Amino acid sequence: MRIRSIGIKLAVPLVAVSIVATGCGGGNDNSSAVASDLGSTSDINPHDVADLRDGGNLRLAISALPSNWNTLQIDGNDAEVMGVERSTMPRAFKSDAAGNLSVDTDYFTDVQLTNSNPETVVYTINPKAIWSDGTPITWEDISAQANALSGRNKAFQINNTQGWDRVEKVERGVDDRQAVVTFNKHFGEWRGQFAGNSFLYPKSVTGTPEAFNTGFVNAMGASAGPFIVQSVDRGQGRITLGRNPKWWGNTPKLDTITFSVLDAQAMVPALQNNEIDAVGLASRDELKSAQGTAGVAIRRANSSQWSHLTFNGAPGSILADPALRVAISKAIDRQGIATAMENGLVIDPKPLNNHIYLTNQKGYQDNSLGFDPDAAAKELDALGWKVPPGGGTREKDGRKLEIRDVMYNQDYWVQLAQIMQQNLDRIGVKLTIDTKPGQDFFPKYIKTGDFDVAQFVWVGDLFPLGSLDQIWGYHPDDWQGNYGHIGSEEINNLIEQTVSELDPQKAMEMANQVDKKVFEEGHSLPLIQSPANIGVRANLANYGAPGLLSLDYTKIGFLK
């Protein structure tokens, strides 16, 4: 599964493999740059809890308050919301720095694939696990979530079926604390159904479409983690998490975690002024500013997020023709973008050439169409988009080839768009930069298709195949994360074969076939994978740039 993020300057632990941070250009000094492949690095200033003082407030920044706290719902499928909730919600698996999975025993004592024909997974819930309203976590919570995400009832506005459309039934096991999930079709990413970017929610949220869609709009509701949402101050733009008094696990060292809404440009100054404790560093200047700030350390690890363009191919859109989208893709110099945006942050910057796998993941290969502006110009000519006499913007049937690029109002996105603007201008395509505020960015602009191309971040996890249908499946009655409404039956069939394959190597090969077709369809264009350079308060332990490591929120705290 993948979640979306409008920006790139957060310091919220979004998923097991991600901290949001990426770069803007400037100069050739790589003295502070991080290697582009950090492997299984985790950089969180590890310390035994005995070294930490009791109490304290971890201060973080976000760009906007949640429009929906239910991250399973389409409007809640947001990286920042996921980051806020990560310390408050159950999951089945956690990972070490190398990406090796183990059962998260705070919530489940055992999770096992017990049969492959039919595929059967048994979840045994920790008998101590309860929701913050005092009700026990039971098999009925798993059953309700399976039903909500199955896609069978279109009234549930889901962001991704996450394989639940392949589940035949969920039954009570030996007692209420055990769920037996039986599939009617194979689903290779079954471990990711309550892990990575997916939490388990209470049946009070997933039991009905009304509760699912709107029950978490104004408030968080019942949760089950070491922290709970203590308060939301909409006037001040602040969320406060406090210790969960019903938490059954290890007592957290922190008293509170606060998230303050800040403009992107204000985040690094807030770190320097000791107003927040961690932030992603989005440029070489910001990196140097953080390095020059007393009491701040730089944490570095691989990020699992990437910037991209989503094309709008819906009927009536100027980019409805896939051949036109492909031609425009070929005219964008993604290597030039990588060099300009990441120089000084990454040694030897490279573009991302795969939609599914990141450069440091097994399975990554270059499936891109390449940079070829001359070919792009010829293809536009053949499509009837002609440069008028004397030059200028191409036209066809009285319509100019002008494309509106919608993005979060942040310098990084504007600078990136300006590079593409120059690229496309050379072949007679006009790109208009249209910036928007963070609040309601997705529901107001992206979900409604109010763009020709859109820039935002996808944040992945250890289960990339679980998001194939979410983003690249073509389902006119259920678009999920396919905001551009682009796809084909051929891609649908390839996705079906890939996610049904239980052999990891075969599934990986098939996933790359999907990726090739996604490029050929002009669905979207990956740009660059983000480096994770994080400025963190130097005395903050067990927090920073986790890489593949799942953070333990009970162990985060400040040194004595």
Side-chain angles (χ1 to χ4, degrees):
M1 179 186 171
R2 286 188 175 138
I3 50 176
R4 65 204 181 188
S5 173
I6 56 175
I8 45 83
K9 285 180 58 59
L10 312 180
V12 177
L14 304 175
V15 290
V17 291
S18 175
I19 286 284
V20 175
T22 185
C24 298
N28 297 308
D29 179 10
N30 274 335
S31 59
S32 300
V34 61
S36 58
D37 182 4
L38 292 174
S40 59
T41 299
S42 176
D43 191 1
I44 63 168
N45 191 24
H47 279 270
D48 189 273
V49 291
D51 298 335
L52 310 183
R53 61 182 173 90
D54 290 325
N57 175 37
L58 173 61
R59 302 164 300 170
L60 303 173
I62 53 175
S63 64
L65 295 176
S67 58
N68 194 320
W69 294 79
N70 178 7
T71 61
L72 304 174
Q73 199 266 353
I74 187 68
D75 292 336
N77 183 38
D78 186 288
E80 289 190 302
V81 184
M82 182 73 66
V84 171
E85 292 186 20
R86 186 149 290 277
S87 66
T88 72
M89 297 301 291
R91 55 193 178 275
F93 290 94
K94 57 186 178 180
S95 63
D96 64 14
N100 298 311
L101 298 174
S102 60
V103 174
D104 190 329
T105 54
D106 278 332
Y107 301 104
F108 296 91
T109 58
D110 192 37
V111 183
Q112 288 285 342
L113 176 67
T114 60
N115 194 2
S116 59
N117 191 23
E119 183 177 353
T120 305
V121 179
V122 177
Y123 292 86
T124 304
I125 301 165
N126 186 326
K128 297 180 181 179
I130 59 173
W131 297 108
S132 56
D133 61 7
T135 59
I137 299 176
T138 72
W139 75 277
E140 292 180 325
D141 296 304
I142 292 176
S143 178
Q145 188 155 320
N147 177 66
L149 299 183
S150 68
R152 288 186 283 270
N153 185 344
K154 302 304 180 185
F156 287 96
Q157 298 171 3
I158 63 175
N159 68 64
N160 185 3
T161 61
Q162 299 165 224
W164 295 111
D165 55 338
R166 297 164 179 268
V167 169
E168 178 69 29
K169 57 186 176 180
V170 179
E171 299 174 291
R172 182 179 185 270
V174 296
D175 57 25
D176 284 348
R177 296 288 191 161
Q178 189 175 77
V180 180
V181 179
T182 304
F183 293 76
N184 54 33
K185 289 190 292 185
H186 283 164
F187 182 60
E189 295 276 41
W190 61 269
R191 293 177 183 84
Q193 290 186 302
F194 294 121
N197 292 335
S198 182
F199 303 140
L200 173 63
Y201 282 82
K203 63 182 180 181
S204 59
V205 174
T206 57
T208 68
E210 294 76 20
F212 185 89
N213 297 332
T214 63
F216 267 30
V217 168
N218 296 317
M220 176 67 182
S223 58
F227 290 88
I228 58 173
V229 176
Q230 195 173 79
S231 65
V232 178
D233 186 332
R234 296 190 176 276
Q236 293 293 321
R238 183 173 295 114
I239 300 167
T240 302
L241 308 184
R243 291 179 181 177
N244 179 2
K246 293 185 170 61
W247 174 244
W248 56 93
N250 295 329
T251 302
K253 300 302 290 185
L254 294 169
D255 288 323
T256 54
I257 304 173
T258 58
F259 299 86
S260 298
V261 175
L262 294 175
D263 290 335
Q265 295 81 1
M267 292 185 184
V268 171
L271 178 73
Q272 292 179 294
N273 294 333
N274 197 20
E275 297 167 357
I276 59 175
D277 296 311
V279 70
L281 304 171
S283 70
R284 188 182 63 177
D285 288 341
E286 290 184 349
L287 177 60
K288 288 187 174 180
S289 293
Q291 287 173 323
T293 301
V296 170
I298 309 301
R299 311 289 181 211
R300 292 172 163 136
N302 265 318
S303 168
S304 202
Q305 64 145 32
W306 44 282
S307 57
H308 81 293
L309 291 181
T310 279
F311 293 102
N312 188 345
S317 168
I318 194 170
L319 298 178
D321 183 353
L324 176 57
R325 299 192 298 266
V326 167
I328 288 173
S329 296
K330 292 179 181 178
I332 295 173
D333 183 3
R334 295 180 308 113
Q335 178 59 62
I337 289 172
T339 300
M341 304 303 286
E342 294 195 335
N343 183 62
L345 293 173
V346 171
I347 296 172
D348 191 22
K350 297 291 183 184
L352 181 65
N353 295 313
N354 196 298
H355 293 85
I356 298 167
Y357 296 106
L358 296 173
T359 55
N360 55 308
Q361 287 183 317
K362 185 179 180 182
Y364 178 82
Q365 65 183 46
D366 184 350
N367 294 321
S368 67
L369 302 177
F371 173 55
D372 194 341
D374 292 337
K378 291 177 182 178
E379 290 170 18
L380 291 176
D381 287 338
L383 292 170
W385 291 98
K386 302 291 187 179
V387 177
T393 303
R394 291 177 181 267
E395 300 177 0
K396 180 181 179 181
D397 300 329
R399 187 178 190 182
K400 290 184 178 293
L401 190 48
E402 297 181 354
I403 301 169
R404 189 166 57 94
D405 185 2
V406 173
M407 70 204 73
Y408 173 47
N409 187 16
Q410 184 178 8
D411 288 346
Y412 170 85
W413 289 119
V414 173
Q415 292 174 19
L416 192 154
Q418 288 171 340
I419 298 171
M420 294 189 291
Q421 198 175 50
Q422 295 171 7
N423 292 159
L424 295 176
D425 182 67
R426 294 190 184 105
I427 62 165
V429 179
K430 183 177 180 179
L431 185 75
T432 300
I433 297 172
D434 189 358
T435 60
K436 304 295 183 185
Q439 192 70 40
D440 297 326
F441 179 80
F442 282 100
K444 190 172 182 178
Y445 304 105
I446 307 305
K447 184 180 174 182
T448 62
D450 188 9
F451 63 92
D452 295 324
V453 295
Q455 296 179 187
F456 59 93
V457 164
W458 281 118
V459 186
D461 61 14
L462 292 168
F463 314 98
L465 305 190
S467 61
L468 295 185
D469 200 52
Q470 173 197 9
I471 304 173
W472 300 291
Y474 186 78
H475 306 292
D477 60 339
D478 184 17
W479 289 114
Q480 298 187 44
N482 187 347
Y483 300 114
H485 296 188
I486 295 169
S488 68
E489 283 303 311
E490 182 181 11
I491 292 176
N492 283 5
N493 291 335
L494 278 172
I495 289 173
E496 170 64 26
Q497 295 172 36
T498 303
V499 299
S500 299
E501 180 55 62
L502 296 182
D503 183 303
Q505 183 60 40
K506 290 181 181 178
M508 191 180 301
E509 294 168 1
M510 295 164 70
N512 274 298
Q513 292 301 313
V514 173
D515 186 52
K516 290 177 182 178
K517 292 299 180 182
V518 169
F519 272 110
E520 292 170 3
E521 190 70 23
H523 176 284
S524 50
L525 188 66
L527 298 173
I528 45 181
Q529 182 177 345
S530 306
N533 297 328
I534 314 298
V536 183
R537 203 65 53 197
N539 66 337
L540 180 61
N542 302 320
Y543 187 91
L548 301 179
L549 179 71
S550 300
L551 292 176
D552 185 339
Y553 285 84
T554 68
K555 296 181 179 178
I556 297 170
F558 295 93
L559 296 173
K560 292 178 179 178

